[in-house]
């Protein structure tokens, strides 16, 4: 067997496989490969910190039910008073948008748990040692309340950035908060901190001094590959909609064959305007 024939067989196999996929894709209705899922039809999942997985939340339904009851009571009072019966929130299909203040608190608690569970399985930065978990060589604390009495050590805190008053920043988690001193923090041109806003969840590195956390650096939580997220939560449907009859390998092969395919995202498109 010469070198030419040795190299031609794998090439022929690959070419034959591509032709088979191309013939197969020509019989597929591409319109069935897409599914439009409305915002109110997406599964409303809640992360259960004790179980380590996503579940259907009971709190959200309770908040919706309580808001609907309060709205209906107000509407009943209006009708009794003899005022004109106008269109009420209960007549709107998606009246679940109206909740009380506890829904906002639960939103931040959920965001904290979801990001933290992702950090806890990060093999790039997080290391387990006999003394505890280390994040880039610094102790990664379990909660802000565990900082008390532990000065002269370098720590990494994960929490939400907030202001308790004008110009006084702090970081807080589900168990407490601590003031931040940003005077010693240095950002160089190569720093990839990104844009950090109020109420964003960040990683803060520094040490404790007189119940104030002296910040050396801060950063955003590192991203996670979609393959790792899928592996951690197998079988969880985050988006809803109908399931496709083709496996992921076949769909990926069909996508690679279409070099001209593109998905375009548009916003603020008013189809009733001639210029649009």
């Amino acid at each position: 067997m010469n070198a030419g024939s040795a190299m031609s067989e794998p090439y022929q196999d690959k070419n034959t496989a591509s032709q088979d996929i191309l013939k197969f894709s020509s019989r597929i209705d591409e319109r069935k490969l897409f599914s439009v899922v409305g915002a109110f039809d997406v599964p409303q999942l809640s992360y259960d910190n004790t179980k380590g997985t996503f579940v259907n939340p009971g709190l959200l339904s309770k908040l919706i039910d309580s808001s609907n009851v309060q709205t209906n009571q107000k509407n009943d009072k209006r009708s009794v008073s003899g005022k004109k019966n106008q269109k009420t929130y209960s007549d709107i299909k998606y009246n679940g948008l109206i909740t009380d203040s506890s829904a906002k608190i639960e939103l931040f608690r959920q965001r904290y748990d979801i990001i933290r569970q992702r950090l806890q399985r990060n093999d790039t930065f997080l290391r387990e040692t006999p003394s505890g978990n280390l994040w880039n060589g610094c102790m990664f604390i379990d909660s802000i309340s565990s900082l008390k009495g532990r000065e002269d050590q370098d720590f990494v805190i994960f929490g939400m950035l907030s202001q308790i008053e004008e110009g006084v920043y702090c970081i807080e988690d589900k168990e407490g908060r601590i003031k931040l001193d940003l005077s010693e923090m240095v950002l160089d041109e190569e720093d990839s901190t990104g844009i950090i806003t109020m109420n964003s969840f960040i990683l803060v590195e520094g040490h404790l001094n007189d119940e104030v956390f002296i910040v050396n650096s801060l950063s955003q939580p590192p991203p996670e590959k979609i393959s790792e997220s899928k592996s951690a939560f197998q079988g969880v449907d985050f988006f809803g909609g109908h399931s496709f009859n083709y496996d992921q390998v076949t769909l990926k092969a069909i996508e690679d064959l279409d070099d001209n395919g593109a998905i375009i995202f548009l916003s603020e498109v008013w189809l009733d305007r001639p210029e649009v």
Side-chain angles (χ1 to χ4, degrees), residues 213-260:
F213 197 76
I214 311 299
V215 179
N216 297 329
S217 65
L218 53 83
S219 61
Q220 296 180 350
E224 183 180 66
K225 294 182 178 179
I226 187 172
S227 58
E228 298 177 0
S229 299
K230 287 183 176 180
S231 177
F233 302 105
Q234 296 181 5
V236 178
D237 183 9
F238 293 100
F239 299 102
H242 68 273
S243 59
F244 299 112
N245 297 325
Y246 310 105
D247 57 84
Q248 295 296 323
V249 177
T250 303
L251 292 174
K252 177 62 177 175
I254 296 173
E255 180 185 4
D256 293 339
L257 288 174
D258 188 2
D259 297 334
N260 296 322

Side-chain angles (χ1 to χ4, degrees), residues 46-271:
S46 175
Y47 182 76
D48 190 333
N49 194 31
T50 58
K51 297 180 179 179
T53 186
F54 288 87
V55 297
N56 292 322
L59 175 63
L60 184 59
S61 60
K62 292 180 181 179
L63 294 175
I64 293 175
D65 293 340
S66 63
S67 64
N68 291 340
V69 170
Q70 295 175 0
T71 304
N72 291 333
Q73 290 176 349
K74 293 180 180 179
N75 295 334
D76 293 339
K77 292 181 180 179
R78 291 176 181 176
S79 60
V80 171
S81 61
K83 293 183 179 180
K84 184 178 180 180
N85 188 15
Q86 299 177 349
K87 187 175 182 180
T88 62
Y89 288 124
S90 60
D91 297 326
I92 302 175
K93 181 179 180 181
Y94 302 123
N95 54 4
L97 287 174
I98 306 170
T99 59
D100 55 23
S101 58
S102 59
K104 185 176 182 180
I105 299 174
E106 182 63 19
L107 181 149
F108 288 108
R109 292 175 63 91
Q110 278 289 301
R111 188 174 298 172
Y112 174 86
D113 287 336
I114 291 173
I115 300 177
R116 187 174 181 85
Q117 58 86 23
R118 193 180 67 195
L119 296 175
Q120 291 173 335
R121 63 170 177 268
N122 188 297
D123 297 332
T124 304
F125 299 95
L126 191 63
R127 293 287 183 272
E128 292 185 4
T129 65
S131 58
N133 293 330
L134 297 181
W135 186 277
N136 275 348
C138 299
M139 184 67 65
F140 187 45
I141 65 170
D142 295 329
S143 63
I144 293 177
S145 59
S146 63
L147 271 177
K148 294 182 179 180
R150 303 175 66 180
E151 300 190 6
D152 300 327
Q153 299 182 54
D154 291 330
F155 294 99
V156 172
I157 304 176
F158 170 67
M160 185 179 70
L161 180 66
S162 60
Q163 286 190 87
I164 53 178
E165 59 183 73
E166 184 67 26
V168 180
Y169 296 95
C170 68
I171 187 169
E172 56 181 298
D173 58 14
K174 296 194 296 184
E175 297 187 8
R177 67 170 59 163
I178 188 171
K179 292 182 180 179
L180 299 178
D181 184 351
L182 305 176
S183 59
E184 298 185 10
M185 183 180 66
V186 178
L187 296 177
D188 53 27
E189 295 181 356
E190 298 180 356
D191 198 317
S192 57
T193 301
I195 300 176
I196 295 178
T197 61
M198 299 305 302
N199 298 327
S200 61
F201 287 87
I202 58 174
L203 291 164
V204 180
E205 179 183 342
H207 61 277
L208 186 65
N209 183 15
D210 194 19
E211 298 185 355
V212 176
F213 197 76
I214 311 299
V215 179
N216 297 329
S217 65
L218 53 83
S219 61
Q220 296 180 350
E224 183 180 66
K225 294 182 178 179
I226 187 172
S227 58
E228 298 177 0
S229 299
K230 287 183 176 180
S231 177
F233 302 105
Q234 296 181 5
V236 178
D237 183 9
F238 293 100
F239 299 102
H242 68 273
S243 59
F244 299 112
N245 297 325
Y246 310 105
D247 57 84
Q248 295 296 323
V249 177
T250 303
L251 292 174
K252 177 62 177 175
I254 296 173
E255 180 185 4
D256 293 339
L257 288 174
D258 188 2
D259 297 334
N260 296 322
I263 298 177
I264 303 175
F265 295 90
L266 303 176
S267 63
E268 296 297 325
V269 178
W270 302 90
L271 299 179

